[in-house]
Amino acid sequence: MVMASFRIAVIAGDGVGQEVIPHGKRIMEAAGRRHGAAFEFQDHDWGADYYFRHGRMMPVGALDALRESDAIFLGAVGHPDIPDHVTLNGLLLPIRRAFDQYANVRPAILFPGVVSPLRRPKGGDIDMVVVRENTEGEYAQVGGFVYQHEPEEVAIQTAVFTRRGVERIIRFAFDLAVKRDKKRRVTSITKSNAQGFGMVLWDRTFQAVAAEYGDIETESLLVDAAAMNFIRRPESFDVVVASNLFGDILSDISAILVGSMGLAPSANLDPSRRYPSMFEPVHGSAPDIAGKGIVNPLATILSVEQLLAHLGLEGAGKDVGAAVAMVLAETNIRTPDLGGESTTTQVADAVLARL
Ligand code: GGG
């Protein structure tokens, strides 16, 4: 068999990122092998330790080093001794912006065998995906301080909504609803009653794009109502499209509804494919459990499923998803976040065995 080869830039990063990424690589290699694909990993030691040595999260020229890769595989960023805005703005956010990874795709599936904290839903009932705008909105990092550290200090933080940015993420969400072909429903989230400019542009754009997709059902919710309805009727959601901040918050809710942050994967996509896309578990560096060998590797492994599909290896991706579903449905092999007593390695080994 002729092997296709892909270059994967790897940033394991901080805390539990160091523990989950090696398993993600093993799974990627095993799934790829069965489908004629090989991977050349370029490991980068960027993150908090790099910051302690060099005073920055990644080197000058880091983005150029990533640019030629076929995909970026990221673990986690964050360290208790570095302010979170330094770690996030020093690594994760510049990568998303530089490579125009405007669609952050965060699926939430309640797998058979996993218990939701809600009473009603059973395996299969919840199957939604939060599509988060990933390059502008509340994360645009536009603003500044005046009279910094003085009693009269002023901080200004401006959210940026561009017609182009809003339209393309909404269009992406509709296309995804068509591709998924499940409930064929897109829910748009704003707070346009209070935020009367950017989010009014969002609502208006949503209506205009919706008119082009006559067979897709639509719903517009204010973010507070959405938070309530995620709990009240999670089964009703299919594709949910939201701004950067709202998408980040709602995807934590959807993750816990399906059992754990440890089951939440994400893809930071440049759908135009001009630049590499990035795949990462939604969870952070989790310093409270780092080094204990008990972090759930499944969010990372499900991110591998997304990465493989993005590289055109849909069959390999499906194998990974099916192996995860098998472990959850057929065994009690689970890390403590899912009520089990297994280690990270035992869970990853169980997935590997089923591949
Ligand atoms: N898995 C990468 C990571 O560490 N994420 C934690 C985080 O704080 N992410 C912020 C964001 O996604 O906006």
Side-chain angles (χ1 to χ4, degrees):
M1 186 190 289
V2 181
M3 295 288 264
S5 184
F6 297 92
R7 281 163 305 176
I8 309 296
V10 182
I11 310 168
D14 307 325
V16 297
Q18 293 288 337
E19 297 170 57
V20 289
I21 287 296
H23 294 298
K25 288 160 82 176
R26 287 200 300 152
I27 301 281
M28 207 184 301
E29 284 180 319
R33 208 173 301 124
R34 300 184 67 236
H35 291 265
F39 301 95
E40 186 193 319
F41 296 115
Q42 293 147 339
D43 291 285
H44 300 289
D45 65 344
W46 306 338
D49 284 345
Y50 189 94
Y51 181 90
F52 292 129
R53 281 181 276 125
H54 303 280
R56 48 189 303 141
M57 291 291 287
M58 55 183 184
V60 177
L63 297 173
D64 288 330
L66 298 175
R67 199 177 302 274
E68 297 310 316
S69 56
D70 294 303
I72 303 164
F73 190 34
L74 172 74
V77 279
H79 190 283
D81 296 336
I82 309 175
D84 285 337
H85 69 270
V86 172
T87 49
L88 211 58
N89 285 290
L91 196 147
L92 191 52
L93 301 188
I95 296 174
R96 288 178 181 163
R97 272 197 292 267
F99 297 138
D100 209 15
Q101 295 165 349
Y102 70 83
N104 189 196
V105 180
R106 298 184 158 190
I109 298 169
L110 182 56
F111 285 99
V114 176
V115 179
S116 169
L118 299 183
R119 213 161 359 112
R120 274 175 305 118
K122 50 185 192 314
D125 283 354
I126 306 177
D127 184 349
M128 68 164 97
V129 52
V130 176
V131 172
R132 165 191 181 189
E133 200 294 316
N134 214 27
T135 52
E136 53 177 55
E138 308 87 341
Y139 279 46
Q141 212 44 17
V142 173
F145 294 105
V146 191
Y147 309 121
Q148 201 170 4
H149 305 304
E150 301 299 326
E152 53 279 4
E153 181 165 10
V154 179
I156 294 177
Q157 184 95 39
T158 304
V160 174
F161 291 90
T162 65
R163 183 183 282 272
R164 169 177 169 270
V166 170
E167 183 175 336
R168 67 184 183 174
I169 193 65
I170 290 173
R171 200 172 287 285
F172 180 91
F174 275 95
D175 288 339
L176 185 59
V178 171
K179 186 165 166 220
R180 277 163 64 83
D181 199 18
K182 291 187 172 171
K183 292 166 213 154
R184 298 182 75 83
R185 185 156 212 248
V186 179
T187 304
S188 164
I189 313 294
T190 63
K191 187 68 184 173
S192 53
N193 57 346
Q195 305 251 294
F197 304 112
M199 296 213 162
V200 169
L201 171 64
W202 182 293
D203 279 354
R204 221 189 310 123
T205 309
F206 183 69
Q207 283 166 12
V209 175
E212 296 174 31
Y213 293 82
D215 58 339
I216 300 292
E217 197 185 328
T218 62
E219 175 179 42
S220 273
L221 292 177
L222 297 176
V223 66
D224 44 337
M228 178 180 69
N229 284 322
F230 265 40
I231 309 294
R232 196 167 61 128
R233 52 171 173 88
E235 312 87 347
S236 70
F237 293 99
D238 179 18
V239 176
V240 178
V241 62
S243 65
N244 216 327
L245 179 63
F246 292 171
D248 194 23
I249 296 168
L250 289 174
S251 59
D252 268 32
I253 303 181
S254 61
I256 201 63
L257 289 180
V258 298
S260 170
M261 287 298 289
L263 286 174
S266 78
N268 302 271
L269 299 179
D270 165 20
S272 79
R273 293 178 180 267
R274 269 183 310 157
Y275 303 110
S277 292
M278 178 164 66
F279 301 83
E280 50 160 329
V282 171
H283 65 70
S285 58
D288 53 330
I289 57 163
K292 295 186 178 165
I294 54 165
V295 59
N296 192 340
L298 294 180
T300 302
I301 292 171
L302 292 168
S303 306
V304 170
E305 176 185 0
Q306 292 180 302
L307 183 153
L308 293 169
H310 182 74
L311 294 180
L313 302 166
E314 281 86 1
K318 282 199 176 113
D319 286 355
V320 171
V324 169
M326 262 187 250
V327 170
L328 292 170
E330 297 168 5
T331 79
N332 288 324
I333 303 170
R334 279 151 176 61
T335 43
D337 57 300
L338 288 175
E341 293 179 351
S342 309
T343 64
T344 308
T345 303
Q346 285 168 334
V347 172
D349 284 352
V351 176
L352 203 56
R354 280 152 187 86
L355 270 175

